[in-house]
Amino acid sequence: MNGGLLVAGTTSDAGKSVVTAGICRWLVRQGVKVAPFKAQNMSLNSFVTREGAEIGRAQAMQAQACRVEPTAHMNPVLLKPGGERSSQVVLLGRPVGEMSARGYHGGRQERLLGTVLDSLAELRASHDAVICEGAGSPAEINLRRTDIVNMGIARGAGLPVLVVGDIDRGGVFASFFGTVALLAPEDQALVAGFLVNKFRGDVSLLEPGLEMLHGLTGRHTYGVLPFQHGLGIDEEDGLRVSLRGTVRESVVAPPVGEDVLRVAVCAVPLMSNFTDVDALAAEPGVVVRFVDRPEELADADLVIVPGTRGTVRALQWLRERGLAEAIVRRVAEGRPVLGVCGGFQLLGEHIEDEVESRAGHVDGLGLLPVRVRFAREKTLTRPVGEALGERVEGYEIHHGVAEVTGGSPFLDGCRVGQTWGTHWHGSLESDGFRRAFLREVAAAAGRRFVPAPDTSFAALREEQLDRLGDLIEHHADTDALWRLIESGAPQGLPFIPPGAPA
């Protein structure tokens, strides 16, 4: 078997990432050696592979669904927004510069098609099947000429296309039909059919519509996936963080101790790797919420200042909203604060930035004895260490180089009293360390909170991935899906007018 499939969507957030992961997990349980692929990803949630390459976290999650190590070939182009109109371009895991949307779509993107096709060919040569994820909609006719992530990659590699539609939003039949009808004949020939996502209710009531859709398009519907809470693992972007939904939804076990622990995460601009807090939300008795007002910090036992693609901008935002002043008061009162990556940097004494914001010298909050200088070379590592007597693994993605001049060592950063700072993302996924850290926070906050002794974040993630595989196995036409992956799009699919505009 040397198969492939592109999972496209009628819209952004139709469920492409989840469906791709589900198909990957279903295939690997059938004994298929499978890999995920997304030619181009736009996300501030990224991950570092073992070889030191930066890719989207969604592809790292999909690699876990495949039970393989993630590599740069699984996401050869990553765009990391730095503002409304520009992004850092990461090519094969390494940043190659900043570019405006106009500049990227004006020619650079088209020139990358060969690179992404080479990465896909590399994966196909070493795996039985590659399940590719599209981006946005394949019917974005204004971008089709330079498309390398939807029909561009499908046509370049001869991949069959499965279009996912979110019926919970409404209008799914019109979206399916319109998506096909706005594609050129050569593209339409690769669109094999549809997959309905997030359906609530009796499927028999939907079947007449699916039959009419088949009559109108000549294309099969490969399944109707029911609406299920808590399937949004490792979101690409936006602030629709699943938190409890990511790991256990609302059925988390009751607190082990007498108290809950409240965690407030400052929703800074260009927030990156907010998936860091998912491991906290997995803990029974830990309540995590995102905040943007100083009064929302009042009852928090722990305040987290997360990573950001704009450290100086985030610092200014904290000051403008009064959050900076509230954080400074917390520290003076000895109440716990954790800064991660950009959040760690802005807790320091000063920042010298001629790279990210080009703001030059900027005073930080002065809460940690740290001076930060932004380097043009990005740090991309997978460190392993020890803190609070426990082994910790993490990953680093940053331009800021921290000079620590005091405090106690903490994960290559430092700690002063109950103020903690580190560049390490993902450290809270280390179960022993997370429990030890929460015990420290609870003691400082005066809470009778006790971490559960048996919460395994890795096991919870595996449960979630198995749920995705079950969703495909139980609610998709897996025989037809297997034929599609193995043999490609059916021959003789009808053309649906009008097709793509000239």
Side-chain angles (χ1 to χ4, degrees):
M1 182 180 184
N2 185 15
L5 174 70
L6 175 70
V7 178
T10 56
T11 61
S12 294
D13 203 30
K16 297 183 292 289
S17 296
V18 165
V19 168
T20 300
I23 294 174
C24 287
R25 177 50 62 103
W26 163 66
L27 283 172
V28 81
R29 294 195 307 207
Q30 311 307 308
V32 177
K33 186 180 181 183
V34 60
F37 178 80
K38 186 164 186 173
Q40 173 193 293
N41 200 347
M42 177 173 279
S43 179
L44 288 172
N45 280 340
S46 57
F47 183 76
V48 179
T49 67
R50 292 207 180 278
E51 68 267 28
E54 185 179 8
I55 66 171
R57 270 201 70 108
Q59 279 60 65
M61 174 270 290
Q62 290 161 357
Q64 187 177 349
C66 297
R67 299 186 178 131
V68 297
E69 273 293 320
T71 72
H73 288 303
M74 294 173 183
N75 179 206
V77 181
L78 173 63
L79 305 178
K80 303 193 74 176
E84 294 297 322
R85 298 185 179 181
S86 68
S87 294
Q88 183 181 68
V89 181
V90 179
L91 181 62
L92 291 172
R94 295 288 173 181
V96 294
E98 297 279 335
M99 187 165 288
S100 69
R102 181 178 292 275
Y104 184 68
H105 290 288
R108 177 63 183 268
Q109 183 183 34
E110 197 172 11
R111 293 196 295 274
L112 292 175
L113 181 60
T115 300
V116 301
L117 285 171
D118 287 347
S119 286
L120 178 57
E122 181 89 12
L123 291 174
R124 296 186 81 174
S126 55
H127 294 80
D128 300 327
V130 178
I131 307 303
C132 309
E133 180 188 341
S137 162
E140 291 168 351
I141 54 179
N142 56 314
L143 302 177
R144 176 60 185 92
R145 181 180 62 83
T146 59
D147 170 42
I148 64 169
V149 67
N150 289 308
M151 301 313 301
I153 195 77
R155 202 192 295 188
L159 294 172
V161 178
L162 183 67
V163 180
V164 178
D166 179 357
I167 197 170
D168 199 47
R169 295 182 175 193
V172 74
F173 292 115
S175 298
F176 282 147
F177 183 87
T179 296
V180 179
L182 281 176
L183 300 178
E186 297 86 352
D187 290 343
Q188 287 196 22
L190 295 172
V191 178
F194 314 108
L195 187 73
V196 177
N197 192 26
K198 301 182 186 177
F199 179 71
R200 305 173 191 252
D202 185 345
V203 176
S204 66
L205 299 176
L206 192 65
E207 288 172 352
L210 300 179
E211 292 172 7
M212 286 185 273
L213 182 66
H214 181 266
L216 288 166
T217 66
R219 286 160 173 85
H220 180 63
T221 295
Y222 284 74
V224 177
L225 307 185
F227 187 99
Q228 288 192 13
H229 292 286
L231 295 180
I233 299 178
D234 289 359
E235 300 289 347
E236 289 185 355
D237 45 31
L239 231 185
R240 205 180 60 78
V241 188
S242 304
L243 297 176
R244 292 204 191 287
T246 295
V247 283
R248 285 189 181 178
E249 193 53 26
S250 59
V251 293
V252 288
V256 175
E258 297 178 43
D259 287 344
V260 299
L261 211 60
R262 293 174 175 84
V263 179
V265 184
C266 297
V268 297
L270 299 174
M271 183 165 49
S272 61
N273 288 72
F274 49 73
T275 48
D276 283 339
V277 301
D278 284 348
L280 292 179
E283 285 286 346
V286 176
V287 179
V288 180
R289 66 182 188 273
F290 285 83
V291 303
D292 60 4
R293 295 180 299 178
E295 57 267 28
E296 294 177 294
L297 304 188
D299 67 343
D301 302 306
L302 169 66
V303 169
I304 296 179
V305 188
T308 171
R309 205 18 204 118
T311 300
V312 171
R313 179 176 168 184
L315 179 58
Q316 181 182 4
W317 180 87
L318 289 170
R319 285 177 167 143
E320 289 172 349
R321 290 187 168 251
L323 284 159
E325 185 180 350
I327 291 171
V328 170
R329 281 199 307 269
R330 284 185 64 89
V331 171
E333 295 165 359
R335 302 175 68 192
V337 173
L338 170 65
V340 180
C341 200
F344 164 45
Q345 295 165 7
L346 60 82
L347 293 180
E349 295 167 350
H350 72 248
I351 299 165
E352 198 68 38
D353 182 10
E354 299 293 348
V355 176
E356 191 176 77
S357 67
R358 298 182 175 85
H361 180 92
V362 177
D363 288 333
L365 296 185
L367 303 176
L368 288 174
V370 175
R371 300 168 183 171
V372 176
R373 177 186 55 81
F374 274 70
R376 298 201 176 275
E377 188 72 20
K378 182 183 282 192
T379 297
L380 296 167
T381 64
R382 290 272 293 272
V384 177
E386 185 176 299
L388 303 179
E390 300 286 348
R391 186 177 187 274
V392 188
E393 295 184 27
Y395 57 99
E396 295 186 50
I397 305 170
H398 54 91
H399 284 280
V401 178
E403 178 190 357
V404 178
T405 60
S408 303
F410 174 67
L411 299 180
D412 292 341
C414 67
R415 169 191 182 180
V416 175
Q418 292 301 319
T419 305
W420 318 63
T422 177
H423 273 132
W424 291 24
H425 293 291
S427 63
L428 293 167
E429 295 181 18
S430 297
D431 297 327
F433 166 70
R434 182 179 65 254
R435 287 192 276 270
F437 178 69
L438 289 175
R439 282 192 290 269
E440 288 253 357
V441 169
R447 296 287 187 189
R448 290 172 295 183
F449 168 85
V450 178
D454 57 353
T455 301
S456 168
F457 188 73
L460 289 171
R461 300 304 294 276
E462 278 297 302
E463 286 177 17
Q464 284 298 93
L465 292 170
D466 277 333
R467 286 182 66 199
L468 298 182
D470 292 344
L471 203 62
I472 297 299
E473 186 171 339
H474 299 154
H475 301 283
D477 185 344
T478 52
D479 289 340
L481 197 57
W482 186 278
R483 290 193 297 271
L484 187 62
I485 294 168
E486 192 171 33
S487 305
Q491 297 296 308
L493 291 169
F495 171 72
I496 309 301

